[in-house]
Amino acid sequence: MQINTNPDSHVDDAVVQDLLARLEQLEQENLALKLALQSQSTGQDLYQHFLLHLPTPCMITSVYGMVMYANLAAADLLGTTPEDLNGMQLQKFVFEDHAILDTQFAELQTLGGPSACELRAIRADRKLIILRLEMVLLQVNGQQSCLGMQMKDITGRQGQLMTQAEGQYFANVVAENVPGLVAYWNSDLRCTYANHQYLSWFGRTPEQMQGIRMQDLLGEELFLKNIAYIKAVLTGVDQQFERTLIKANGESGYTWAQYIAHKVDDVVKGFFVLVTDVTLLKRAQQALVDSEAKNRALVRAIPDLIFTIHRDGRHLDVHAPDPGMMLQSREQLLQSKVADVLPAHVASQYMNAIEQALESGKLQEFRHHLPVAGRGEMQFEVRVVPCSQDTAIAIIRDITETERQRRAHELQLSERLQVRENDVRAIQLSLTMASDISNIGTWIRDLRTGELWASLEWRRHFGFSQDEPLSLEMAIQRIHPADRRQIESATGDYREAQAPRYQAEFRVTPPGEAERWLAVVWQVEFDEQQKPLLTRGVTVDISARREAELELGQKRMEVMHLARVATMGELSGALAHELNQPLTAILSNAQAAQRFLASPNVDMQELGEILQDIVDEDKRAGEIIRRLRRLFDKRSHEQHSVDINKLVLEALHILRNDMINQGITLLTELHDNLPHVSADTVQLQQVLINLVMNASEVVADLDASQRIIEISTRLTPENRVEVSVNDHGPGVPEHLGNKVFEAFYTTKANGMGLGLSICKNIVEASGGQLWCENHDSHAGSGASFRFHLPAAQEAAT
Ligand code: ADP
């Protein structure tokens, strides 16, 4: 066996010889080293073999620690083989204590050996051991050459090393970094170590603390108080207690300080005390205790049954405030599974909910019935929440009573509803009876679907049988053509509520029946979005009233006509009377003149006088007519503020029956918000009636569809209120021009020719103008008689 595997670190005989002398100095137990050196010097196999198998670990290294030889025990100590160790740096095996080894090497080189040290080493298998190294420097010719060393595992030998390396390490690394105060006390109760936190807490220096007696530090009273603890810890029983700790300078300290005293029974005998601030911990513990108590109280207050159930159906815990709800005793339940206790279909409800809750992490709810001994069929509401990975909590509430109450309440409600429905039906019945008696027809039309529902009476009004399907269009078809337009335009578009209520009067012709008059009132109802929803209305047969009115109207017209004739008669009588004189005078003068002219001697002067008389008399007649016209003028002096639209509607009301009798349709287009005009209301109405009467006379001979008179009002850009009466008659022949407005001009056989002339006077007396124009230049397209009046100062109201 060759020791030197590294040729650079060859140990020659001279070296060995020199060292052998030094070997004598080595202690007896350093046998291995001696043998190593011996074998090196002699090179005998026996020694080498012996060395290799020697149970004492030993090796030879360079002065810097490179392994040149290691025996089996040494390699084994470091968890490796001699071959692997060869050429390795010993430092590689040292844990943190390199300084110790380096110091040792330096000392050996300067002071020589032998020397020893203890250090922590890491074996090849990463195990930490504590090594004691004894070394000797092998010198050759005064030259440093190599180191012989013997190793010992002293890991099990606590104490000495603790005080040196580990003790130091503990003090430096652990004690100084512990979040608390640390102090060592020896068995004489003197302090041998205090960490910096301890020192700063009590405001002391290490020197002040070193060796101080506990009695002196604590004071006699406190020391005596603690003597029991101290004795206990010195007998080997660890002490742990809590109390407040105030800083030495009186500042507030730890509310809760935990004291731990632990005996150290090693090279140093004594104990150490560790004081840590456990205030937060204490508070947290207290809070935990409080909240646990609160939770327990809460749970106690919950009337529900609470089970903790494992995914596999085992009952893990039970909270049962009402034992009557339990199917088995608590103990039995805790030893059984859900499926053992509940009927299969209910158990599967539970198991499904648990599975779902654990999978989704969400609350699951369901209800079930269950017959419970002594309590009959009970109803439960179950909520399942996940608790941990494999457990869920099922909260089971008895809802038997609440369900019973709810059902009773529902029953009550439906009974009440039934009563209401009966009431409503009774009211409906009375309404139907009332409407039957009063001949009122009712209808409702759904504006979204167009569906029309109508009462029997309504069907009777329009001539529909009881089961006939209805529609608005069908009903309109039965309305008199002349009245249809007003109904069609009113029912056309309800998008904006034009009026809260609509009303109309019209004729209907039910098939095979006589024409009848209906009055109708209806309203539109809107939904929340203000969209028209339905129309609801009533119809009343007003034929009888209408007939009476028509008859009355006819009578009135006859009277009016008579009055007009009488007035005209009176007027013409007065005219004849007034004109009689001048005309008689003119006649006799003219006859006298004739006679004069027939005589052979014409007295020219006389003739001249006669002719002068004739001229004078003619002037007088002219004057009479002018006076008559002034008479009309005088009548127009009662000026009022007049709402033209209102006046038009009133005039139409007077004329309406007459127009209906003649089959004439009156249409209006009245402009809103017109200013008032200043005029004599009665006279202005007369003007309008006159114009409409004239128009009615010209359209009377036309086809029914052409018998239309339109009356419209508007405000002109010159701020005048204009009224026009349009017809579809032949119009006014162009060559006549304004002649129609002259007094006594008429084209009618029995016309007076005064109407338009009087109208013109009335309009002009109020500061207005009356004129006529044909719709078109060619005849037959109708005439338009118009007048306008200046707007009065005050605005329309
Ligand atoms: P009367 O009606 O007695 O004839 P008016 O003064 O009211 O007297 O009418 C004078 C004339 O004006 C009528 O005879 C007629 O020739 C003509 N006239 C009046 N209104 C119209 C009309 N709407 N269309 C055509 N001509 C008309």
Side-chain angles (χ1 to χ4, degrees), residues 520-584:
V520 53
V521 179
W522 76 97
Q523 63 185 34
V524 188
E525 290 174 22
F526 295 85
D527 65 10
E528 295 91 50
Q529 280 89 44
Q530 293 308 307
K531 284 203 187 113
L533 202 63
L534 52 87
T535 52
R536 190 195 296 276
V538 291
T539 50
V540 184
D541 188 338
I542 54 161
S543 305
R545 193 190 85 197
R546 253 299 134 173
E547 249 164 60
E549 269 179 12
L550 281 178
E551 215 172 310
L552 194 71
Q554 219 153 359
K555 291 275 182 295
R556 196 189 292 139
M557 286 312 283
E558 280 165 17
V559 172
M560 263 175 74
H561 188 69
L562 282 177
R564 269 168 73 176
V565 171
T567 312
M568 289 304 156
E570 263 174 41
L571 202 67
S572 52
L575 204 63
H577 177 77
E578 287 286 321
L579 290 177
N580 211 16
Q581 249 187 313
L583 288 177
T584 316

Side-chain angles (χ1 to χ4, degrees), residues 158-197:
Q158 286 183 5
Q160 207 171 358
L161 191 66
M162 280 292 285
T163 53
Q164 285 194 357
E166 282 206 336
Q168 202 59 36
Y169 175 76
F170 181 82
N172 288 342
V173 179
V174 183
E176 292 300 329
N177 290 305
V178 159
L181 322 182
V182 179
Y184 282 107
W185 301 89
N186 65 15
S187 43
D188 299 336
L189 299 187
R190 284 180 187 274
C191 181
T192 57
Y193 169 77
N195 72 352
H196 79 275
Q197 295 195 63

